[in-house]
Amino acid sequence: MKKMNKILALVLVAVLLIGAVGCTGGNTSKPAESSKAAESSKPAESSKPAEQSQAEASTPETPGESWEGKDPVKLTYFYDKSISTSDFDKWWGKDEVSKYIMENTNVDIEWMMAPDNDHTKLQIVIASTELPDVITAERNLALMRDLVDNDMVWAINELEKTAAPDFIARNVPDHVVLQLRINFDSMNVYCLPCQWYSKEAISDPTLIKAFNGVAVIQQIYEELGSPDTKTLDGFLDLLRQVKAKYPDMIPAQASRNAGTDADGNVRMIFKIFNMFDLASRYDVTADGKYIKYFESEKFLDLLKFVNTLYNEQLMDPAELTDTSETMQAKLFNGMIFANLNQDSDNIDWFSDELQKVHPEWNWVMIDAPSAYEDKGVHYSSDGIGGGVGDSLNHFIIKNPNAERALQLMDFIFQDQTQFYISRGMEDAWESYDEATGVAVLKEEVDKAEDAIKKGQYGVGAYWLWRNAEVTARHKKIGASEYQTFSLDHNAQYYKDYSFFSGAEQYPSDSNEQKIYAQVKEYYQTAVIDIIMADPSAVESKYQELLNKLQEIGQGTLDAWIDNYFQNKADIIAKYSEGLDLSYMQ
């Protein structure tokens, strides 16, 4: 009861102050008929007797089959993101992939979906004291760190002992274990990753690891002479030409989604960090001191750029408040010329939608601009987070169904299940190549609307559980020449930024965390004011921002950040105990 009271008190503080701070698998394998997962696909009634003891149910005969022979159970599962393609609750139990998972694990799921990206519903769920069995949320989120600190979340290395022996060794690559240990300043692993890469993928130079870049409508780009866009000036000149020739078109939009990042930045800021050599979110001064991006002169350059877009009407001011659905619709309807942060594997999808309105148009990637191209600093992107993947992670709550939750993950993380999550079941395939492990989808499945592709066949529907490596190996299968070109083109931008993760993991009840919350509260409003200011006032307002942040206590955070990076080698050594990281060299 004391723990829960403390959580409630922390939540009340979080509602007022705290916003956001800031999944494993083995190798990709062909879905062989003889694999353990295939053998376990027999009907539930042929599994172990339901009347077996709880002790027997908790200790599998074979570690890799921890999901077998269990009584039916329904898990509650909270997903703390609002994304237009996150319709797990809509498809679950209807498509072939979720049916396969349910039949083999005897687990059903009651989904709880967030209506927005400001964690409001998560705060309410925690305050209700009735926590769901699993929460998928950003691992750096203060609310989740509170739950960990107050012993409400299972350490996977402890839970696995009875639920799924050797789960981590079997499923979670060592580079992921390292990052999760560092994130929570503990030898424990408190969550499981989303969108991860295996150790084999990390060392595979042929696998595309960068997808982000700038996409434009090809026909308009060529009509304007296909100008050089490697420099910021060249790119701005292109946008101005578009505005002059197509006055009803919006020259640029940041991305297809809405929402802010962990610091409170709108997407028109954080989605273009790559253009300003700030993809790491930190910078290094001439004397070797590590600083947060907003204290770098590069960030002032970024603000001037966005301010120019705003004042010259090269962006839609409504982007600052638009919903994800509205932003995506603008791209689909041909209202936007340039998408400043697009994934190269989305080209065919977005072109298909665009051609419903403008049959003669299509999207294509161009040279992504760098503000410092003349200094030899190019656009860069880490599409795989150093192999750890997305900041979203799965937390298993200390509820009665915790063991079943981990056993569900044990099944989901198997190679064959991962293959099905990415490519659907066999009835979705036109062909399958055993030598390469590549499944080509039927054209009517590949080109189908989500209601069919995801809702019936389950292809890509459950990407929150997806080993991104499996999907990456299929990116070019059935892709158009435009998408294939875009994939190859953006691959050049890869740069490993994993060193820069974990710097701002402040203890939930620390002075640093309180300062961070206050900094964010002020900062997220101040940057909007700079974007909308008269160009002549940008520098003075930026200086006001820096002065106010120091007044709030940013200097204390600066010291923490610099100390962390100066000692990162020692931190890595500390949390690498028992891990083999030779493949990361």
Side-chain angles (χ1 to χ4, degrees):
M1 180 60 70
K2 288 182 179 179
K3 290 177 181 176
M4 185 55 69
N5 288 339
K6 185 174 182 181
I7 281 286
L8 288 172
L10 288 167
V11 168
L12 291 175
V13 173
V15 171
L16 296 173
L17 297 177
I18 299 176
V21 179
C23 246
T24 72
N27 309 335
T28 303
S29 66
K30 66 184 182 66
E33 296 268 334
S34 59
S35 72
K36 289 181 180 178
E39 291 172 358
S40 70
S41 63
K42 55 186 178 292
E45 52 266 33
S46 65
S47 299
K48 297 175 185 177
E51 61 268 18
Q52 65 183 327
S53 69
Q54 180 63 41
E56 290 174 331
S58 300
T59 308
E61 294 178 5
T62 304
E65 298 171 347
S66 71
W67 57 83
E68 287 196 330
K70 303 297 188 295
D71 293 334
V73 68
K74 177 175 283 190
L75 301 179
T76 51
Y77 204 119
F78 183 83
Y79 181 74
D80 187 43
K81 280 284 184 179
S82 175
I83 299 178
S84 55
T85 53
S86 302
D87 289 326
F88 320 124
D89 56 334
K90 182 188 298 184
W91 317 131
W92 183 260
K94 301 175 183 177
D95 65 275
E96 296 303 316
V97 172
S98 62
K99 288 178 182 178
Y100 169 78
I101 294 172
M102 293 169 70
E103 288 168 1
N104 281 278
T105 63
N106 243 351
V107 172
D108 194 2
I109 292 178
E110 178 183 346
W111 292 95
M112 304 166 67
M113 312 296 284
D116 50 44
N117 289 318
D118 64 4
H119 318 295
T120 302
K121 187 170 182 178
L122 178 60
Q123 293 169 347
I124 294 172
V125 168
I126 293 175
S128 73
T129 74
E130 295 182 8
L131 296 178
D133 296 310
V134 183
I135 297 176
T136 297
E138 295 173 10
R139 63 176 176 267
N140 300 335
L141 185 62
L143 285 169
M144 296 312 301
R145 299 182 70 81
D146 288 342
L147 291 179
V148 170
D149 291 345
N150 287 276
D151 198 28
M152 308 295 286
V153 174
W154 268 106
I156 304 302
N157 46 293
E158 293 296 328
L159 181 59
E160 70 173 358
K161 293 176 181 178
T162 55
D166 303 318
F167 174 92
I168 293 177
R170 182 168 58 253
N171 293 308
V172 188
D174 285 351
H175 61 279
V176 177
V177 173
L178 172 63
Q179 191 57 58
L180 297 181
R181 286 176 174 178
I182 291 174
N183 268 215
F184 288 94
D185 194 18
S186 170
M187 291 298 289
N188 288 329
V189 174
Y190 283 107
C191 54
L192 298 172
C194 299
Q195 307 286 318
W196 70 95
Y197 280 70
S198 72
K199 59 180 66 177
E200 289 75 17
I202 290 294
S203 55
D204 181 355
T206 68
L207 199 66
I208 297 174
K209 300 180 176 72
F211 299 99
N212 296 133
V214 177
V216 300
I217 294 177
Q218 182 182 16
Q219 288 68 28
I220 296 177
Y221 174 65
E222 292 179 347
E223 179 185 330
L224 297 173
S226 304
D228 181 4
T229 54
K230 286 185 178 181
T231 67
L232 211 58
D233 287 341
F235 184 64
L236 274 172
D237 183 62
L238 172 62
L239 297 183
R240 288 164 178 148
Q241 289 184 60
V242 170
K243 179 174 175 55
K245 189 157 189 176
Y246 294 90
D248 294 330
M249 177 173 272
I250 301 166
Q253 180 172 288
S255 72
R256 72 179 187 270
N257 290 319
T260 57
D261 69 355
D263 293 325
N265 289 307
V266 292
R267 288 185 174 243
M268 185 51 87
I269 291 179
F270 77 90
K271 283 295 186 180
I272 61 173
F273 280 155
N274 314 63
M275 297 181 185
F276 292 85
D277 195 32
L278 292 173
S280 69
R281 289 178 172 262
Y282 301 94
D283 200 6
V284 183
T285 63
D287 59 355
K289 181 181 179 181
Y290 289 89
I291 58 176
K292 182 129 180 179
Y293 63 86
F294 50 60
E295 296 181 286
S296 168
E297 291 183 1
K298 298 173 184 176
F299 188 57
L300 176 57
D301 292 339
L302 184 152
L303 291 175
K304 288 179 178 179
F305 173 74
V306 179
N307 178 266
T308 296
L309 296 182
Y310 182 89
N311 280 287
E312 294 189 21
Q313 298 181 330
L314 300 176
M315 63 174 281
D316 186 352
E319 177 174 339
L320 301 176
T321 55
D322 270 342
T323 64
S324 294
E325 290 75 13
T326 300
M327 293 178 74
Q328 183 166 289
K330 290 178 183 179
L331 293 165
F332 284 172
N333 292 328
M335 298 171 63
I336 310 293
F337 167 68
N339 189 352
L340 303 187
N341 190 281
Q342 178 60 284
D343 292 333
S344 50
D345 55 325
N346 281 339
I347 290 296
D348 282 348
W349 171 30
F350 275 69
S351 290
D352 287 345
E353 295 295 334
L354 176 65
Q355 287 164 6
K356 294 176 182 178
V357 181
H358 298 279
E360 72 284 7
W361 286 357
N362 62 268
W363 290 95
V364 69
M365 290 288 179
I366 58 173
D367 288 333
S370 166
Y372 315 109
E373 184 70 21
D374 59 339
K375 299 178 182 178
V377 180
H378 312 300
Y379 183 99
S380 58
S381 173
D382 183 354
I384 64 174
V388 178
D390 200 286
S391 60
L392 285 175
N393 281 247
H394 311 295
F395 295 80
I396 297 178
I397 304 301
K398 287 192 172 182
N399 282 351
N401 287 326
E403 289 197 351
R404 293 299 296 276
L406 188 62
Q407 290 158 4
L408 172 68
M409 292 296 180
D410 200 19
F411 182 76
I412 285 172
F413 285 1
Q414 300 305 298
D415 291 342
Q416 180 152 346
T417 310
Q418 284 300 312
F419 197 93
Y420 290 153
I421 285 173
S422 177
R423 306 303 288 169
M425 308 300 290
E426 287 89 337
D427 61 352
W429 309 344
E430 180 67 37
S431 63
Y432 173 73
D433 187 332
E434 289 193 21
T436 61
V438 168
V440 178
L441 297 177
K442 296 175 181 177
E443 184 175 1
E444 62 268 26
V445 175
D446 193 30
K447 301 297 184 182
E449 299 287 343
D450 279 0
I452 300 297
K453 188 173 184 177
K454 296 180 179 179
Q456 178 178 334
Y457 293 98
V459 177
Y462 303 100
W463 51 266
L464 81 164
W465 293 326
R466 186 177 64 196
N467 181 336
E469 165 194 349
V470 179
T471 307
R473 296 190 186 281
H474 287 78
K475 293 293 188 185
K476 295 182 181 179
I477 306 302
S480 72
E481 61 177 304
Y482 300 107
Q483 180 153 306
T484 300
F485 164 80
S486 296
L487 287 161
D488 292 337
H489 179 81
N490 285 14
Q492 68 180 303
Y493 299 135
Y494 177 66
K495 184 176 181 179
D496 182 357
Y497 283 108
S498 57
F499 172 84
F500 291 95
S501 62
E504 295 178 86
Q505 311 305 316
Y506 308 120
S508 59
D509 57 351
S510 66
N511 183 50
E512 285 82 4
Q513 178 57 46
K514 294 173 184 176
I515 292 172
Y516 178 86
Q518 293 169 1
V519 164
K520 177 181 177 179
E521 184 178 20
Y522 169 74
Y523 172 84
Q524 61 189 351
T525 301
V527 293
I528 296 296
D529 185 43
I530 295 174
I531 290 174
M532 301 172 65
D534 185 276
S536 64
V538 171
E539 290 195 27
S540 61
K541 284 183 173 292
Y542 171 66
Q543 190 57 54
E544 289 175 13
L545 167 68
L546 295 184
N547 292 341
K548 181 63 176 180
L549 293 180
Q550 288 300 317
E551 181 183 322
I552 293 172
Q554 180 62 37
T556 300
L557 305 187
D558 293 341
W560 176 291
I561 291 168
D562 186 54
N563 181 69
Y564 175 84
F565 286 125
Q566 300 295 350
N567 293 284
K568 187 66 182 283
D570 292 337
I571 294 171
I572 291 174
K574 175 182 177 181
Y575 290 115
S576 296
E577 181 182 338
L579 305 178
D580 174 15
L581 300 170
S582 59
Y583 61 91
M584 297 293 289
Q585 307 304 319

